[in-house]
Amino acid sequence: MSTIIEVKNLAVSFHTYGGEVQAVRGVSFSVPRGSTVAIVGESGCGKSVTAKAMMQLLSCPPAEYKGGEILFNGEDILQKTERQMERIRGNEMGMIFQDPMTSLNPTLTIGRQITEGMMKHRAFNGKEAKEEAIQLLHLVGIPQPEQRFDQYPHEFSGGMRQRVMIAISLACQPELLIADEPTTALDVTIQAQILQLLKKLQEEMGTSILLITHDLGVVAETCDYVVVMYAGVVVESGTAEEIFANAQHPYTKGLLQSIPRLDQQRAQALRPIIGSPPDLMDPSPGCPFYARCEQAMRICKNHHPTLEHVNGEHYSSCWLRHPMAQVVR
Amino acid sequence: MLNYIFKRLVWAVVTLWVVITITFLLMHSIPGNPFAKEGTMPEAVYNNLQQYYHLDEPLAVQYVIYLKQLAQFDFGPSLKSKTITVNDYIVNGFPVSLHLGIQALIIAVCFGLIFGVIASLNRNRWPDYLAMVLSIIGISVPSFILATFLINYVAVEWRLLPVATWESWSHTILPSISLAMMPMAYIARLMRSSMLEVLGQDYMYTAKAKGLSRHMVILQHAFRNALLPVVTVLGIITTNLVTGSFIIEKIFGIPGMGEMFVIGIFNRDYPVILGSTIFYAAILIFLVFLVDIAYTFIDPRIKITGEGE
């Protein structure tokens, strides 16, 4: 299976008044063609920055690409000019944003917002674009698409708006869809509908999906591969089954333990991961999870563990994997 | 929509009536009267004049007489000029003030928006600083100082344009620029902050992620959303401009409405004061109404329904 996009050692920093924030510090992963890959992690771990970097959407300054490459169909996105990026954005890569309430322009009809990408990339005239857009609206499950075409975002509910967002991102049938927390702002029933819709569209159009989320429930439901990020680095990655059944990294284990379970005893409290993520203004040279890790060892403080092969496509970055670890303990 | 317009019309009449009443009372509470200063006037002539203009009647009676007159769209005679009525003043002066005002408005809006947009797109870089320094100067330098500078350099030293009076189009350039400076600076500042807010919105990312070019993103997605706060103040700015700035009209010797208003106040020329105030108020009310209608075209979320919600 070929990969559609491969991120190699990506590093992104933000320049702020307080100093340089190293939001992403060497992230590598790849998305096999036709599959769904999830990037999981808590707020501020660099997921969204990674996603935006993949389309060169970060405004520089304050952002700065410090290194690495993003190979999309073999070509490095970070080397492309703005003009070249315009041809890729929306056309070969689509993006869905987190909050459908604020991600649509309130003063333009949704029809206009769906068709403008098509008219640019696919050279459609107004009539063709309208027909295509109505089909898309139908496809994403919006009833009465002909009437809805001329309506404004405020006339849609949150779930419907996210469907419109999906229609916009799919307008040019991109090969890769980046969904940046597409269900975070929606209530649970709508979340399930949107995820099903994405799954259905993926089957019909063969799109590869990169799903950014902090919701492991969403991951379990939809994804083939999982990349767990923490403090701007990848701590563990592998197939969804491996990650859920055989998590190696204490952070991944912590995440899994902090989800409420149906078969849990009532009296049993949830087990959160104590503490908060490290300051990325001045990251330590050691493992970023050191301060919160229950199994931290001396070596973790000053030496960053490398991403080690576990089995199959499963990798984990933790000193506990080291043969000496058992001896030390 | 029709229902709404009718409702606004009724309120406009009520507002006007309040304006008339307050102006009438304030005007009559100023000490002195139109003929008192002319000391050499014989007693009998003074009494005759007072009687002729109903100034000897009680205030309430004068008020009723004035309202009756006004109902026929007659602002009455000027007390100081034997032949010209207030209506004549307005008919003669307003087109001039309107011409000047519209020219100034066009300058203010066009350049204000352009400067505002440029500043916001180059935030914290030199074009931003330049535009904002210019707008601070525009806001803080009074128009009469700017006008004197322009006359001194452009007209007197370099002899590019006429110094004063109101004849050909070239006569209108300097007063228009002097008048436009302050609203232009104000619009530029407003547009800059409004654009900055819109540029930070999530839907700007959406537009960019569609692969639209930068100027498409800015023109089609940012500009229209940023325009709304500017439209809000446009009604008031327009009123100020078209009803005439008496300072600019005085400096350039322009026969507009502004000058007539000031002379009217000096002379206690009651009908002139009332007439021009009412005229000003009516235009303001009308323009604010236009602005409200304009909202609905710019922002589809604002709907006019006529119900009181």
Side-chain angles (χ1 to χ4, degrees):
Chain A
M1 203 161 21
S2 65
T3 59
I4 179 150
I5 196 160
E6 188 174 3
V7 177
K8 282 185 186 168
N9 238 334
L10 176 71
V12 183
S13 286
F14 288 91
H15 296 281
T16 66
Y17 287 115
E20 181 186 330
V21 178
Q22 302 175 23
V24 175
R25 306 181 290 151
V27 163
S28 304
F29 65 91
S30 61
V31 180
R33 205 172 283 276
S35 67
T36 304
V37 173
I39 300 185
V40 192
E42 63 196 284
S43 305
C45 73
K47 327 183 280 286
S48 285
V49 175
T50 306
K52 289 202 170 107
M54 290 168 78
M55 262 174 119
Q56 261 201 46
L57 280 180
L58 297 167
S59 46
C60 312
E64 187 193 346
Y65 300 102
K66 300 287 275 193
E69 10 179 46
I70 298 172
L71 298 175
F72 179 66
N73 286 332
E75 290 173 45
D76 190 359
I77 288 287
L78 296 181
Q79 301 302 322
K80 302 245 180 224
T81 63
E82 189 60 25
R83 190 50 63 80
Q84 290 170 318
M85 278 316 294
E86 277 169 23
R87 247 171 276 142
I88 294 174
R89 287 188 199 123
N91 194 21
E92 294 169 36
M93 277 193 232
M95 193 153 185
I96 305 170
F97 294 93
Q98 182 172 358
D99 188 354
M101 306 311 271
T102 55
S103 295
L104 292 168
N105 187 334
T107 58
L108 296 177
T109 63
I110 60 127
R112 172 89 186 275
Q113 296 188 53
I114 296 172
T115 52
E116 61 185 355
M118 293 179 195
M119 287 160 89
K120 162 142 189 167
H121 297 300
R122 297 166 81 182
F124 278 7
N125 62 32
K127 198 165 159 260
E128 290 168 335
K130 182 171 179 178
E131 278 167 17
E132 179 83 13
I134 288 174
Q135 272 202 330
L136 263 176
L137 286 175
H138 189 74
L139 192 70
V140 298
I142 288 177
Q144 299 171 312
E146 287 86 2
Q147 283 98 56
R148 293 300 224 168
F149 184 84
D150 290 317
Q151 288 183 345
Y152 290 93
H154 69 274
E155 295 167 274
F156 288 76
S157 66
M160 283 293 157
R161 286 191 206 190
Q162 197 58 300
R163 286 168 194 264
V164 171
M165 270 305 293
I166 294 173
I168 289 174
S169 64
L170 293 177
C172 299
Q173 302 172 344
E175 297 171 69
L176 174 69
L177 186 62
I178 301 171
D180 188 358
E181 309 205 25
T183 58
T184 306
L186 304 172
D187 63 62
V188 187
T189 44
I190 309 294
Q191 275 185 18
Q193 289 175 13
I194 294 290
L195 291 173
Q196 271 170 13
L197 174 66
L198 283 175
K199 205 76 202 159
K200 185 189 104 185
L201 293 172
Q202 181 177 33
E203 277 158 23
E204 284 174 20
M205 300 172 119
T207 318
S208 317
I209 297 179
L210 180 70
L211 187 70
I212 316 288
T213 182
H214 57 242
D215 187 342
L216 284 166
V218 169
V219 176
E221 225 167 305
T222 50
C223 296
D224 307 315
Y225 297 92
V226 180
V227 177
V228 183
M229 276 185 74
Y230 183 77
V233 294
V234 174
V235 293
E236 187 160 15
S237 68
T239 61
E241 286 157 28
E242 271 285 315
I243 296 289
F244 280 95
N246 186 23
Q248 293 296 314
H249 198 281
Y251 178 64
T252 316
K253 288 181 191 164
L255 280 182
L256 290 167
Q257 276 172 356
S258 61
I259 312 172
R261 304 174 69 100
L262 272 180
D263 55 2
Q264 198 170 355
Q265 296 281 315
R266 261 193 170 206
Q268 198 183 333
L270 281 175
R271 285 191 54 192
I273 305 173
I274 310 290
S276 52
D279 181 8
L280 291 178
M281 203 94 92
D282 180 28
S284 80
C287 173
F289 194 55
Y290 172 73
R292 300 167 78 185
C293 185
E294 288 173 353
Q295 293 158 280
M297 299 175 290
R298 207 170 342 133
I299 189 171
C300 303
K301 189 172 184 209
N302 291 317
H303 299 273
H304 196 287
T306 48
L307 211 53
E308 297 284 339
H309 188 239
V310 179
N311 62 47
E313 289 170 275
H314 189 172
Y315 292 84
S316 170
S317 151
C318 181
W319 285 118
L320 289 172
R321 300 276 318 149
H322 195 273
M324 288 296 286
Q326 301 311 318
V327 183
V328 173
R329 297 176 74 79
Chain B
M1 186 77 173
L2 273 177
N3 195 358
Y4 174 79
I5 292 174
F6 178 73
K7 225 168 144 176
R8 286 294 297 257
L9 215 63
V10 172
W11 276 108
V13 173
V14 174
T15 317
L16 262 186
W17 172 73
V18 173
V19 169
I20 294 166
T21 311
I22 292 174
T23 318
F24 192 87
L25 292 175
L26 282 177
M27 191 179 70
H28 281 276
S29 65
I30 311 173
N33 80 39
F35 306 112
K37 261 202 274 175
E38 293 154 60
T40 55
M41 192 183 282
E43 187 72 17
V45 177
Y46 175 76
N47 283 341
N48 262 343
L49 279 171
Q50 288 280 64
Q51 208 173 355
Y52 181 76
Y53 291 115
H54 304 290
L55 292 175
D56 52 347
E57 308 266 9
L59 208 55
V61 177
Q62 287 187 40
Y63 178 66
V64 173
I65 291 171
Y66 188 74
L67 282 187
K68 269 187 197 157
Q69 200 184 23
L70 210 56
Q72 297 152 15
F73 295 101
D74 180 6
F75 288 113
S78 164
L79 303 188
K80 285 293 163 179
S81 165
K82 307 277 178 301
T83 50
I84 299 175
T85 65
V86 178
N87 288 45
D88 292 335
Y89 266 132
I90 292 176
V91 168
N92 293 332
F94 183 58
V96 175
S97 291
L98 187 69
H99 180 181
L100 176 63
I102 285 177
Q103 267 181 215
L105 187 70
I106 291 170
I107 296 173
V109 170
C110 291
F111 286 93
L113 291 182
I114 290 171
F115 286 157
V117 170
I118 289 176
S120 69
L121 296 180
N122 295 287
R123 187 183 191 180
N124 294 340
R125 273 177 296 193
W126 69 264
D128 183 20
Y129 294 132
L130 183 70
M132 286 308 105
V133 166
L134 283 181
S135 75
I136 291 276
I137 293 173
I139 285 177
S140 44
V141 173
S143 59
F144 56 86
I145 299 211
L146 182 71
T148 356
F149 263 94
L150 287 177
I151 290 175
N152 187 33
Y153 288 103
V154 181
V156 178
E157 300 255 328
W158 304 330
R159 302 193 176 274
L160 295 175
L161 291 166
V163 173
T165 72
W166 190 257
E167 283 151 36
S168 68
W169 185 72
S170 60
H171 287 81
T172 69
I173 297 173
L174 288 186
S176 299
I177 294 174
S178 322
L179 195 57
M181 210 47 165
M182 172 129 136
M184 185 193 82
Y186 187 62
I187 290 173
R189 292 188 69 80
L190 200 63
M191 191 62 188
R192 174 183 181 267
S193 59
S194 176
M195 275 292 282
L196 284 180
E197 195 186 317
V198 171
L199 288 175
Q201 295 286 325
D202 288 347
Y203 53 79
M204 298 311 295
Y205 276 118
T206 312
K208 200 175 168 191
K210 278 182 221 173
L212 301 181
S213 59
R214 186 171 149 85
H215 72 263
M216 284 275 277
V217 171
I218 288 156
L219 278 181
Q220 311 222 357
H221 288 266
F223 188 71
R224 187 167 167 186
N225 284 294
L227 214 52
L228 209 60
V230 178
V231 172
T232 311
V233 299
L234 219 52
I236 295 162
I237 288 179
T238 311
T239 316
N240 283 329
L241 290 181
V242 300
T243 48
S245 152
F246 80 89
I247 297 175
I248 294 298
E249 288 179 3
K250 188 94 190 159
I251 290 175
F252 288 95
I254 297 166
M257 265 187 71
E259 193 168 7
M260 140 195 156
F261 190 35
V262 177
I263 293 172
I265 292 175
F266 281 138
N267 288 338
R268 304 278 185 278
D269 197 339
Y270 293 156
V272 171
I273 299 173
L274 269 173
S276 43
T277 309
I278 293 164
F279 191 71
Y280 181 91
I283 287 184
L284 181 63
I285 290 168
F286 177 67
L287 283 171
V288 168
F289 172 66
L290 274 192
V291 164
D292 286 353
I293 300 280
Y295 280 156
T296 61
F297 289 103
I298 296 173
D299 190 344
R301 284 168 298 184
I302 299 169
K303 271 248 160 59
I304 285 175
T305 55
E307 294 349 289
E309 76 243 71

